[in-house]
């Protein structure tokens, strides 16, 4: 009996050593060298940049659904952008196309045609906001500043990206003139409604254009997102989940509400269907996608047991999914 216990203990001990080896030898902290490039001119957000951003936030470019948008506001926004950044458009090597009436595509032609162009993308529509019922501290389209924060729809998602790109481009062109590599700036008007009219139309317009890379809207730098992780976490978004819309239809024999059928009520039938769907969950693919490397990198900044678990998703997947 003692011999069997010893063998079992030895096997478990070896397995534990394997987990530790994977966590501390194979899964090493990222050692990529980060070079800080000093620039001769420091970028500062002056009052003009801040004012343009705030005014852009006040234009209520709301998407309520596919082909259901505040089209008047979209026109106002395009007019605002073309007016405020007319100096960019005035460059002889810059062209702007209005795609499908409301989306924008800037082409900054590079001087070296052998270099593949790259594309920076953003969107300027926003989701609806009810200042009274959504617990906003300020009106969601007021662009109010409080304690260093700007309150408005679009501050993060995603007028900030668009305005930052245009301001950076303006500074670059003023200092350096025409770039060597062609740059595309693509701005969709209906991303919050799936982008079928905006991003898809821009893609069709570009056709088979070969790009060096595309940089689109990403995630934020977050803090305290995981227990035990004290450092801020900057996500690099490389994939996005899909979605499925399910509609339930029930046809039953009519009747009077004073004498409902306790077994075959349409509400009960739909409720049962929803309950069955909830119980039949989509299988997890944790550990097979881009989240795997994210969790492994996070693991190197955590304590012993958390590092062991996240470095060995292959064995601890059920525990992580709880």
């Amino acid at each position: 009996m003692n011999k069997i216990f010893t063998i079992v203990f030895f096997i478990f001990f070896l397995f534990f050593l394997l987990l530790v080896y994977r966590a501390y030898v194979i899964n090493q902290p990222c050692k990529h060298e980060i070079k800080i490039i000093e620039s001769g001119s420091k970028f500062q957000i002056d009052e003009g940049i801040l004012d343009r951003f705030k005014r852009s936030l006040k234009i209520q470019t709301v998407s309520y659904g596919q082909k259901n948008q505040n089209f008047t506001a979209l026109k106002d926004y395009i007019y605002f952008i073309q007016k405020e950044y007319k100096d960019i458009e005035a460059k002889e090597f810059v062209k702007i196309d209005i795609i499908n009436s409301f989306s924008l595509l800037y082409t900054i032609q590079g001087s070296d045609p052998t270099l593949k162009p790259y594309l920076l993308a953003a969107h300027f529509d926003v989701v609806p906001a009810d200042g009274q019922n959504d617990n906003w501290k300020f009106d969601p389209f007021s662009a109010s500043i409080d304690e260093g924060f700007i309150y408005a729809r679009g501050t993060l998602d995603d007028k900030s990206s668009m305005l930052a790109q245009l301001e950076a481009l303006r500074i670059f062109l003023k200092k350096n003139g025409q770039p060597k590599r062609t740059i595309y700036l693509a701005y969709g008007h209906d991303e919050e409604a799936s982008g079928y009219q905006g991003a898809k139309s821009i893609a069709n317009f570009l056709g088979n254009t070969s790009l060096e890379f595309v940089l689109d809207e990403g995630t934020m730098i977050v803090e305290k997102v995981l227990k035990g992780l004290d450092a801020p976490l900057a996500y690099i978004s490389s994939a996005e989940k899909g979605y499925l819309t399910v509609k339930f239809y029930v046809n039953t024999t009519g009747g009077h509400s004073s004498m409902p059928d306790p077994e075959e009520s349409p509400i009960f039938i739909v409720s049962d269907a929803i309950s069955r769907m909830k119980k039949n969950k989509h299988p997890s693919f944790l550990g097979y996608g881009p989240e795997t490397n994210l969790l492994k990198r996070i693991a190197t900044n955590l304590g012993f047991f958390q590092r062991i678990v996240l470095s060995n998703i292959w064995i601890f997947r059920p525990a992580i999914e709880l």
Side-chain angles (χ1 to χ4, degrees), residues 1-10:
M1 188 68 181
N2 288 337
K3 186 176 181 180
I4 295 175
F5 176 80
T6 301
I7 293 173
V8 172
F9 176 80
F10 184 70

Side-chain angles (χ1 to χ4, degrees), residues 72-259:
T72 300
L74 290 176
K75 289 181 180 179
D76 292 342
Y77 192 85
I78 291 173
Y79 175 79
F80 165 79
I81 291 296
Q82 291 191 283
K83 179 183 177 183
E84 294 299 324
Y85 299 97
K86 59 185 178 182
D87 55 317
I88 294 177
E89 192 176 344
K91 303 289 185 183
E92 67 223 8
F93 49 84
V94 175
K95 182 181 71 153
I96 182 170
D97 292 288
I98 299 179
I99 310 296
N100 204 5
S101 301
F102 300 106
S103 289
L104 299 174
L105 177 65
Y106 284 83
T107 303
I108 300 90
Q109 190 64 46
S111 60
D112 187 348
T114 64
L115 297 175
K116 277 188 179 182
Y118 65 84
L119 185 147
L120 306 180
H123 67 90
F124 54 89
D125 64 319
V126 299
V127 295
D130 186 332
Q132 292 182 337
N133 297 322
D134 292 344
N135 296 320
W136 280 77
K137 188 174 183 180
F138 301 96
D139 183 283
F141 295 100
S142 65
S144 300
I145 297 180
D146 183 54
E147 296 182 356
F149 293 93
I150 303 175
Y151 289 79
R153 271 284 190 255
T155 50
L156 293 176
D157 188 11
D158 184 38
K159 290 178 179 177
S160 52
S161 296
M162 180 177 180
L163 270 289
Q165 290 168 12
L166 288 169
E167 295 290 353
L169 178 63
R170 167 183 276 165
I171 294 170
F172 176 87
L173 296 181
K174 184 177 180 180
K175 182 179 179 181
N176 302 287
Q178 184 178 15
K180 288 185 178 181
R181 189 187 300 270
T182 295
I183 305 168
Y184 291 108
L185 304 182
Y187 302 130
H189 71 276
D190 68 334
E191 190 271 352
E192 300 295 359
S194 297
Y196 292 117
Q197 305 301 315
K200 185 177 181 181
S201 297
I202 293 174
N204 291 337
F205 182 86
L206 289 171
N208 295 322
T209 302
S210 181
L211 300 170
E212 184 71 15
F213 66 86
V214 174
L215 179 62
D216 200 352
E217 171 189 3
T219 38
M220 292 76 69
I221 298 176
V222 294
E223 297 179 350
K224 299 179 181 179
V225 68
L226 186 67
K227 187 176 181 180
L229 182 64
D230 297 326
L233 175 64
Y235 286 98
I236 299 177
S237 300
S238 59
E240 186 172 357
K241 70 177 182 64
Y243 68 92
L244 173 68
T245 299
V246 179
K247 294 182 179 180
F248 292 92
Y249 297 92
V250 177
N251 292 319
T252 60
T253 304
H256 198 279
S257 60
S258 64
M259 295 179 289

Side-chain angles (χ1 to χ4, degrees), residues 20-32 293 296-301 307 311:
V20 173
Y21 177 80
R22 288 175 57 87
Y24 283 88
V25 178
I26 296 179
N27 190 21
Q28 290 287 325
C30 181
K31 295 181 179 179
H32 293 301
N293 286 333
K296 286 182 178 179
R297 294 280 75 79
I298 292 176
T300 60
N301 293 275
R307 181 165 180 171
S311 298

